[in-house]
Amino acid sequence: MNYQIKSIEEYKETYKYSIENPEEFWAEIANNFIWHKKWDKVLEWNFTEPKVEWYKGAKLNITENCLDRHLEKLKDKTAIIWEPNNPEEKTRNITYGELHKDVCRFANVLKNNGVKKGDRICIYMPMIPELTVAILACARIGAIHSVVFGGFSSKSIADRIVDAQCSMVITADGVYRGNKLIALKNIVDEALRNCNTIKKVIVYKRIGNNVVMNNETDVWWHDEFEKADKICAAEIMDAEDMLFILYTSGSTGKPKGVVHTIAGYMVFASYTFANVFQYESNEIFFCTADIGWVTGHTYIVYGPLLTGATCLMFEGIPTYPDAGRLWQVVEKHKVNTLYTAPTAIRSLMQAGIEFVNGKNLDTLKKLGSVGEPINEEAWHWYNTNIGKGKCPIVDTWWQTETGGIMISPLAGITPTIPSFAMLPLPGIQLAIVNTQGEELKGNDVSGDLCIKFPWPGILRTTYGNHERCRTNYFATYKNMYYTGDGCIRDINGYYRITGRADDVLKVSGHRIGTAEVENAIDLHHNVIESAVVAFPHNIKGQGIYAFVICSNETKDFEKLKSEITNLVSEEIGSFAKPERIQFVNGLPKTRSGKIMRRILRKIAVGETENLGDTTTLLDPAIVEEICKVIL
Ligand code: WT7
């Protein structure tokens, strides 16, 4: 990698150069990859449609960059160290050579089962190396992967399959996460009752639980693998062909299929991985995210493999068999970089220092945080007890839509301040704007965080609905990408993200739209209307508080509460369950019918005085009533 920045001076110079010469800058980075044909034009863009095209005219296959090109030097290097859920089960090590073979062979399995370039493939799998194999096999033959997080319900899977018109599902029989069995195949079967585009289901046997195989559609991974040819030439793709779709929540009820394209995402994933984590050969990188979220796509699969790194993949959860599990995994595999989420840090902090004591964490050199703002207490605990005061912490701000890290310290190079993401990466042009859409120049300002200029990892569209992409991200502020986050630039020019400024929640780092939860709650026949807001939660970051108007027939409120939470689990997944439900007779609405969440947010934290201006409310008496009655 000759694009790794090595000092703060070099960062400053590189940043300046990248802003003044963005095309030259991103072309130089792109020269580090292998292409079947180089681009005709580095960048073509406008944020009004929006249209963004990077490396237009170039031809490539991302898997050749992840695998084939490393074979000469890194064939026997471990690509994936896999740690199972159950510590008694055996660890697996997969070399670059082996991963290459498996990907080629499974790519032929896909072809043998009718998959063609451009087809959308839904992947609903445990955190096992075969998930990486499935993803890369899609990319090898030009199919578009849509990975669905294993915690989503069958209803959510069905919605995603229908939206993307997927023709295949790749899944497993089941998996244990902690003590809990998740019957993946059964959940898929349930989902498929409401989908008619799926022609084949490939099932990996992970734990041997009972599954029903449908003769017409379902095949076993191992049977197909046996039959498949070992050699699979990479499909030659266009730079702007779709690589994947990943669904994420916004302020409307329906999740959006964020689309990333091949070349730009590749360059950005690799560049950000190498620079933020300052990856050095022979280091072991451990990202605890699930591949069902973008963090896993970019920093378990693509970023590390593109860089020739060794990445640890963990099937389990931080608290099983006990709250020392992550530290034990770090010790066992001699991890050098640990990249995790504030919610995990907080829950392990609460579990107690005894779970850290006695674990040898000496190999750790760098720590990372992602997914939500990290509070200072958690930052200090992480720094002192895990990093022992000698590991730089990179607080990385980014989004599903940005493809990779946008604002972050470079480990060991940029200074760090607790709860600050610090500085933009080269090529990233930030703007803080006020509600009038004016850019606030200079330091010591706060407002909405926007991005003024495209970067290679930017989303290209929302699948099947480009207008939605425009209105969501490019219509709020003219000629800018709007992130949805609030942000401060302090007196020294360092950035601090203050959290979502829209109707998006971050519960244990999971992104959930208030409208999605409300839609689920409103399905109950005894519910008339609901409004969902976040309240501060000391482990999850945010918890869900639902205000619900129910019908007169309701007799048993406790029963209704549990039916409502079950409904949310079925519709979305159990991670989206409301923690608190309050029954009310009305909701504070403006005369135009908009729910005033600002007021509900205050009530949710028990603040019933100083509710701010309530004069625009249709019926101010409602507020008093909500404050009084807490069922
Ligand atoms: C939202 C994006 C980034 C990949 C995983 C989440 C919040 C993310 C940080 C951070 C403060 C953060 C933002 C952002 N967020 N990282 N370091 N500090 N907030 O991706 O699910 O698309 O969520 O997560 O609110 O908009 P996502």
Side-chain angles (χ1 to χ4, degrees):
M1 290 167 279
N2 57 18
Y3 48 74
Q4 215 172 34
I5 292 167
K6 283 290 162 206
S7 67
I8 191 75
E9 293 72 33
E10 195 188 340
Y11 161 76
K12 286 180 187 155
E13 270 164 39
T14 309
Y15 185 79
K16 187 162 181 285
Y17 176 74
S18 74
I19 300 309
E20 287 164 3
N21 313 280
E23 296 193 24
E24 290 80 352
F25 173 74
W26 288 114
E28 284 157 26
I29 308 295
N31 279 328
N32 290 281
F33 297 83
I34 53 168
W35 305 85
H36 284 271
K37 173 182 173 283
K38 289 241 175 129
W39 47 93
D40 302 317
K41 194 147 190 279
V42 182
L43 172 65
E44 217 166 275
W45 72 288
N46 73 72
F47 275 175
T48 31
E49 290 177 59
K51 181 182 88 170
V52 180
E53 293 176 327
W54 282 95
Y55 310 113
K56 199 174 174 180
K59 305 263 183 205
L60 77 161
N61 187 290
I62 194 169
T63 69
E64 290 181 317
N65 283 282
C66 289
L67 302 169
D68 303 60
R69 73 165 159 152
H70 299 316
L71 292 182
E72 200 185 313
K73 289 196 183 122
L74 306 177
K75 191 162 159 281
D76 298 319
K77 177 173 176 171
T78 303
I80 303 173
I81 302 172
W82 177 75
E83 176 65 28
N85 175 64
N86 181 349
E88 319 266 286
E89 208 183 317
K90 260 188 37 213
T91 294
R92 290 167 63 188
N93 276 304
I94 292 109
T95 64
Y96 272 90
E98 289 162 345
L99 187 59
H100 177 260
K101 274 197 206 131
D102 288 354
V103 167
C104 288
R105 200 148 175 190
F106 194 68
N108 285 323
V109 169
L110 296 180
K111 284 187 184 171
N112 295 344
N113 282 279
V115 179
K116 303 246 150 31
K117 177 175 173 174
D119 288 355
R120 277 81 54 219
I121 309 298
C122 173
I123 304 180
Y124 186 67
M125 285 189 82
M127 285 286 288
I128 52 177
E130 286 70 20
L131 168 52
T132 302
V133 171
I135 287 174
L136 294 178
C138 288
R140 186 103 183 150
I141 64 169
I144 299 158
H145 54 81
S146 168
V147 181
V148 177
F149 169 58
F152 276 114
S153 66
S154 55
K155 185 71 193 353
S156 295
I157 303 170
D159 288 347
R160 284 156 176 74
I161 288 173
V162 170
D163 189 78
Q165 299 282 291
C166 294
S167 60
M168 175 186 274
V169 184
I170 306 172
T171 188
D173 50 358
V175 65
Y176 282 97
R177 299 203 77 208
N179 276 321
K180 205 169 130 209
L181 171 85
I182 303 165
L184 298 166
K185 172 65 164 67
N186 292 346
I187 299 171
V188 167
D189 290 345
E190 181 73 34
L192 295 190
R193 285 191 210 155
N194 301 308
C195 309
N196 55 23
T197 54
I198 298 297
K199 300 194 189 85
K200 277 279 159 76
V201 180
I202 300 184
V203 188
Y204 181 81
K205 191 178 265 185
R206 168 69 188 100
I207 56 171
N209 56 322
N210 250 334
V211 296
V212 182
M213 296 293 274
N214 175 333
N215 285 337
E216 272 162 43
T217 48
D218 303 354
V219 293
W220 286 107
W221 176 300
H222 54 263
D223 289 341
E224 297 301 299
F225 206 75
E226 286 282 291
K227 287 187 268 180
D229 208 45
K230 291 191 184 71
I231 295 163
C232 179
E235 187 76 30
I236 297 175
M237 305 296 290
D238 286 336
E240 282 294 342
D241 279 338
M242 282 186 204
L243 176 61
F244 67 84
I245 306 170
L246 187 56
Y247 285 84
T248 192
S249 299
S251 31
T252 65
K254 200 173 166 269
K256 310 176 270 253
V258 168
V259 170
H260 285 288
T261 57
I262 300 168
Y265 175 83
M266 172 181 83
V267 170
F268 198 61
S270 183
Y271 183 75
T272 55
F273 175 76
N275 276 294
V276 170
F277 302 107
Q278 290 289 307
Y279 185 80
E280 285 169 35
S281 49
N282 301 325
E283 281 187 346
I284 293 166
F285 179 81
F286 178 19
C287 168
T288 69
D290 193 287
I291 292 178
W293 308 109
V294 76
T295 310
H297 280 62
T298 308
Y299 300 110
I300 298 179
V301 181
Y302 288 109
L305 295 175
L306 287 163
T307 313
T310 300
C311 192
L312 175 70
M313 181 183 202
F314 177 41
E315 185 186 38
I317 55 172
T319 49
Y320 175 84
D322 64 42
R325 181 66 161 137
L326 278 193
W327 320 130
Q328 182 252 328
V329 173
V330 168
E331 174 174 39
K332 177 172 174 189
H333 296 290
K334 303 189 166 47
V335 169
N336 303 113
T337 303
L338 174 68
Y339 188 32
T340 192
T343 184
I345 299 168
R346 285 190 297 261
S347 82
L348 299 178
M349 176 171 86
Q350 204 193 42
I353 197 69
E354 59 270 28
F355 291 102
V356 184
N357 291 342
K359 307 279 187 332
N360 182 347
L361 305 180
D362 288 350
T363 52
L364 282 177
K365 292 198 272 185
K366 297 160 248 187
L367 299 174
S369 170
V370 62
E372 52 176 317
I374 180 164
N375 49 308
E376 294 197 24
E377 192 191 358
W379 194 99
H380 285 295
W381 187 87
Y382 197 30
N383 184 45
T384 310
N385 299 296
I386 307 307
K388 316 288 181 196
K390 63 173 177 52
C391 302
I393 299 179
V394 291
D395 180 354
T396 62
W397 176 86
W398 58 297
Q399 309 178 298
T400 304
E401 294 85 345
T402 70
I405 297 167
M406 302 288 280
I407 313 179
S408 171
L410 308 182
I413 290 172
T414 316
T416 60
I417 305 171
S419 82
F420 276 71
M422 301 306 285
L423 294 170
L425 264 69
I428 308 304
Q429 302 192 30
L430 306 175
I432 296 182
V433 301
N434 64 15
T435 40
Q436 284 81 53
E438 294 152 355
E439 184 178 352
L440 304 172
K441 298 264 170 80
N443 291 342
D444 200 14
V445 292
S446 75
D448 282 344
L449 179 64
C450 292
I451 301 152
K452 294 190 279 192
F453 194 86
W455 63 99
I458 189 175
L459 87 161
R460 301 303 196 269
T461 188
T462 45
Y463 194 82
N465 191 345
H466 194 61
E467 177 56 14
R468 209 169 159 207
C469 174
R470 191 187 69 79
T471 50
N472 253 288
Y473 307 105
F474 300 92
T476 315
Y477 299 113
K478 200 169 181 291
N479 280 326
M480 286 195 241
Y481 167 85
Y482 172 48
T483 65
D485 279 305
C487 180
I488 293 169
R489 184 166 50 229
D490 79 353
I491 45 169
N492 299 310
Y494 296 133
Y495 290 83
R496 175 183 199 158
I497 309 298
T498 51
R500 299 294 303 197
D502 56 6
D503 295 328
V504 170
L505 311 178
K506 275 282 170 159
V507 179
S508 299
H510 299 330
R511 182 163 157 185
I512 305 167
T514 51
E516 269 175 274
V517 182
E518 288 162 4
N519 286 351
I521 295 175
D522 295 353
L523 288 175
H524 194 285
H525 56 275
N526 278 348
V527 169
I528 294 172
E529 200 184 355
S530 64
V532 161
V533 295
F535 69 94
H537 188 289
N538 59 11
I539 290 179
K540 296 180 179 175
Q542 293 190 318
I544 297 180
Y545 196 120
F547 295 87
V548 177
I549 308 175
C550 57
S551 68
N552 293 334
E553 293 121 65
T554 310
K555 303 247 159 32
D556 186 343
F557 289 99
E558 284 311 310
K559 181 158 166 268
L560 180 54
K561 274 188 190 175
S562 76
E563 284 168 3
I564 287 174
T565 40
N566 288 341
L567 200 51
V568 175
S569 293
E570 278 165 30
E571 288 295 308
I572 306 172
S574 64
F575 62 88
K577 282 199 288 210
E579 197 125 334
R580 295 190 197 150
I581 297 174
Q582 181 183 343
F583 294 109
V584 295
N585 288 320
L587 293 165
K589 286 189 180 171
T590 60
R591 287 187 191 90
S592 60
K594 205 172 154 335
I595 296 172
M596 290 189 75
R597 287 171 204 280
R598 174 176 60 80
I599 293 177
L600 293 176
R601 265 182 233 124
K602 287 204 165 173
I603 298 174
V605 293
E607 217 179 286
T608 52
E609 314 279 318
N610 306 323
L611 289 176
D613 183 13
T614 54
T615 53
T616 54
L617 285 179
L618 186 63
D619 179 7
I622 288 287
V623 175
E624 275 167 48
E625 203 188 296
I626 301 178
C627 292
K628 259 191 300 195
V629 193
I630 299 192
L631 278 169

